């Protein structure tokens, strides 16, 4: 029986990642026939959307498939009868990320996109927006699936389910894809010869590896290979590659994700971040990405460019399409493909409540994600996991309620924030810096302004004064 063509809406369509997405859809068109492709963005993103939208159309025109790319600044125009809605937006754009990074670093604490103080504030800005999108979807495309790549992906996905009351959602990250692409080569295997099992939270998961021929756990073999100086260990491009302690990995018999470096090698990662922060020729990761993105959009303007350029791999989200497009294709065709996703726990990780969101291996089909049971973790990993999840739950509730006191609890709980007067000062400065995007905290922000709270970092303060 012929299946109906698909309508896909991408919110944040002006993102530099959009060519990744188009490449993935073109590659899968025979199993995922797209009838409509919509890109949605805001007024501030209009120019970028027009550039990337024109390139996306060139990519389709260069393919054998007749697909029209529509663009709009009104998501309600795009959403009616959508089958899949993908989200890849950044509230406050890269300037907000730069403030998330620089304000904590100005006090000697980690500033990072999804970890520490900056990661919590990215969630505070993003969750109210995703919940507004969900309300529109309930009205205009109630049968659609929401495929979320917006960071912090785990918290955003959990808020959709917990506060948006929308279960047709799957959160994605490219980090597990990168591991499964790189690691088999380290031990002279192909991915289809191995079974991977992931468990944890977005940007805070671990995985184990098994040999399909013998059924044996070969995680230690991969751990040994990681320390071969001639091997690419698969660390994402956006993470400073300081090695984990081998003894620690041998003890846990699991491989942590790249972002665990911010917790397991906090001293070294913080020192590197501070070094870049003080180097005017380098700057924080957000400042580096801003330059890379400017270069990408100059490339995208080329009327002859009709394929994804190699420079896109410099962005931390490379391979996004492998996760997003395969997830959509697997739901559409009930393929039951193994994909690592953020979804409702339902007992897959018994150390966490059944109704919370975890990032785990799952089979993806017509009913969404079917998480694969991982089993209980050892005390060290269990302790980290429970601390991080409860911090996330506090942040999510604060994002919805604007509860300053609860946000302070989250800051004190977060392992990347040294609790005390300075940690609270960083939180207050970030509230001032992101006033434009935090209406739920308006009353408290007004109090802080009356108290005379100002932003210490020159770059972040100037961006705020310019309304950016």
């Amino acid at each position: 029986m012929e299946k109906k063509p698909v309508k896909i809406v991408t919110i944040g369509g002006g993102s530099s990642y959009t060519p990744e997405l188009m490449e993935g859809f073109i590659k899968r068109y025979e199993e995922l026939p797209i009838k409509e492709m919509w890109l949605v963005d805001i007024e501030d993103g209009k120019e970028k959307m027009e550039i990337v939208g024109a390139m996306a159309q060139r990519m389709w025109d260069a393919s054998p498939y007749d697909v029209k790319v529509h663009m709009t600044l009104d998501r309600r125009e795009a959403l009616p009868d959508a089958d899949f809605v993908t989200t890849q937006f950044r509230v406050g754009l890269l300037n907000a990320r730069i403030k998330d990074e620089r304000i904590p670093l100005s006090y000697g604490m980690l500033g990072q996109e999804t970890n520490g103080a900056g990661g919590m504030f990215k969630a505070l800005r993003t969750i109210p927006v995703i919940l507004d999108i969900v309300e529109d979807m309930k009205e205009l495309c109630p049968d659609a699936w929401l495929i979320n790549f917006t960071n912090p992906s785990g918290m955003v996905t959990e808020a959709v389910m917990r506060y948006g009351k929308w279960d047709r959602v799957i959160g994605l990250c490219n980090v597990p894809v990168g591991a499964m692409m790189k690691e088999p080569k380290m031990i002279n295997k192909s991915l289809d010869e191995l079974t991977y099992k992931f468990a944890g939270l977005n940007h805070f998961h671990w995985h184990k590896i098994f040999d399909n021929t013998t059924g044996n756990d070969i995680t230690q073999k991969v751990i040994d290979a990681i320390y071969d100086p001639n091997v690419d260990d698969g660390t994402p491009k956006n993470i400073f590659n300081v090695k984990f302690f081998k003894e620690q990995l041998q003890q846990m018999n699991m491989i942590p994700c790249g972002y665990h470096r911010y917790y397991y090698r906090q001293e070294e990662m913080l020192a590197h971040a501070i070094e870049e922060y003080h180097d005017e020729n380098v700057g924080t990761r957000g400042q580096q990405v801003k330059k890379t993105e400017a270069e990408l959009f100059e490339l995208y303007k080329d009327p002859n460019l009709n394929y994804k350029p190699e420079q896109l791999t410099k962005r931390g989200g490379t391979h996004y399409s492998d996760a997003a497009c395969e997830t959509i294709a697997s739901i559409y065709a009930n393929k039951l493909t193994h994909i690592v996703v953020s979804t409702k726990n339902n007992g897959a990780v018994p150390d966490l409540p059944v109704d919370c969101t975890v990032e785990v291996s799952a089979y993806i089909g017509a009913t969404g994600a079917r998480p694969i049971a991982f089993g209980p973790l050892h005390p060290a990993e269990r302790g980290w996991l429970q601390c991080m999840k409860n911090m996330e739950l506090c942040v999510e509730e604060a994002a919805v309620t604007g509860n300053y006191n609860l946000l302070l609890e989250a800051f004190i709980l977060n392992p990347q924030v040294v609790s005390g007067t300075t940690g609270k000062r960083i939180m207050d400065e970030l509230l001032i810096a992101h006033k434009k995007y935090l209406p739920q905290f308006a009353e408290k922000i007004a109090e802080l302004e009356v108290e005379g709270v100002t932003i210490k970092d020159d770059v972040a303060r100037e961006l705020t004064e310019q309304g950016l």
Side-chain angles (χ1 to χ4, degrees), residues 269-323:
M269 295 299 285
L270 179 58
H272 179 260
I274 290 173
E275 181 184 337
E276 291 191 329
Y277 166 79
H278 286 298
D279 188 336
E280 292 182 2
N281 296 318
V282 180
T284 64
R285 178 64 186 172
Q287 291 172 295
Q288 297 166 32
V289 167
K290 203 171 182 181
K291 293 176 184 175
T292 302
E293 192 171 87
E295 293 167 6
L296 281 171
F297 275 94
E298 282 304 309
L299 287 173
Y300 293 170
K301 289 178 184 177
D302 181 351
N304 298 311
L305 184 67
N306 56 16
Y307 57 90
K308 182 189 78 175
E310 180 62 29
Q311 289 90 330
L312 189 52
T313 59
K314 292 181 182 179
R315 291 295 314 267
T318 186
H319 307 312
Y320 159 38
S321 68
D322 288 294

Side-chain angles (χ1 to χ4, degrees), residues 11 86-91 122 126 130 147-154 156-157 172 202 320:
I11 297 177
T86 71
T87 45
Q88 55 182 39
F89 59 89
R90 185 187 295 276
V91 178
K122 192 170 196 305
T126 306
I130 200 88
I147 309 299
N148 176 60
F149 189 65
T150 297
N151 275 326
S153 182
V156 171
T157 301
L172 293 174
N202 176 237
Y320 159 38

Side-chain angles (χ1 to χ4, degrees), residues 20 109 227 235 238 302 306-308 333 349 407 420 434 444 455:
E20 278 262 3
M109 291 189 208
Y227 292 88
T235 301
N238 58 324
D302 181 351
N306 56 16
Y307 57 90
K308 182 189 78 175
V349 184
L407 179 60
H434 296 302
K444 184 63 185 181
I455 298 168

Side-chain angles (χ1 to χ4, degrees), residues 67-222:
V67 173
K68 173 83 169 92
V69 178
H70 304 269
M71 291 178 274
T72 182
L73 300 180
D74 179 7
R75 70 171 179 253
R76 290 183 62 84
E77 177 189 5
L79 285 174
D81 302 318
D83 298 293
F84 295 93
V85 177
T86 71
T87 45
Q88 55 182 39
F89 59 89
R90 185 187 295 276
V91 178
L93 307 176
L94 282 171
N95 288 323
R97 175 177 181 172
I98 290 167
K99 289 189 277 188
D100 284 341
E101 294 167 341
R102 294 192 64 90
I103 289 172
L105 285 166
S106 72
Y107 288 96
M109 291 189 208
L110 181 76
Q112 209 274 329
E113 180 187 21
T114 60
N115 295 274
M120 290 187 283
F121 266 81
K122 192 170 196 305
L124 296 179
R125 296 192 303 274
T126 306
I127 286 171
V129 176
I130 200 88
L131 294 178
D132 282 346
I133 292 169
V134 166
E135 289 307 305
D136 282 348
M137 289 178 65
K138 287 176 181 177
E139 177 187 348
L140 301 171
C141 52
D143 295 324
W145 280 92
L146 176 57
I147 309 299
N148 176 60
F149 189 65
T150 297
N151 275 326
S153 182
M155 281 195 268
V156 171
T157 301
E158 183 157 53
V160 167
M161 288 189 278
R162 189 175 293 270
Y163 297 100
K165 308 299 181 186
W166 184 274
D167 286 336
R168 293 171 73 89
V169 58
I170 289 176
L172 293 174
C173 180
N174 65 306
V175 174
V177 178
M180 289 186 285
M181 288 180 69
K182 295 283 188 181
E183 289 171 357
K185 298 173 187 174
M186 297 181 196
I187 56 172
N188 297 313
K189 294 278 188 179
S190 60
L191 182 57
D192 61 4
E193 294 178 285
L194 304 173
T195 291
Y196 273 76
K197 289 182 72 175
F198 287 77
L201 307 176
N202 176 237
H203 288 184
F204 203 87
H205 62 253
W206 302 266
H207 64 271
K208 296 172 72 72
I209 308 157
F210 301 84
D211 188 305
N212 290 343
T213 302
T214 64
N216 293 335
D217 182 337
I218 59 167
T219 308
Q220 290 287 350
K221 187 175 181 180
V222 178

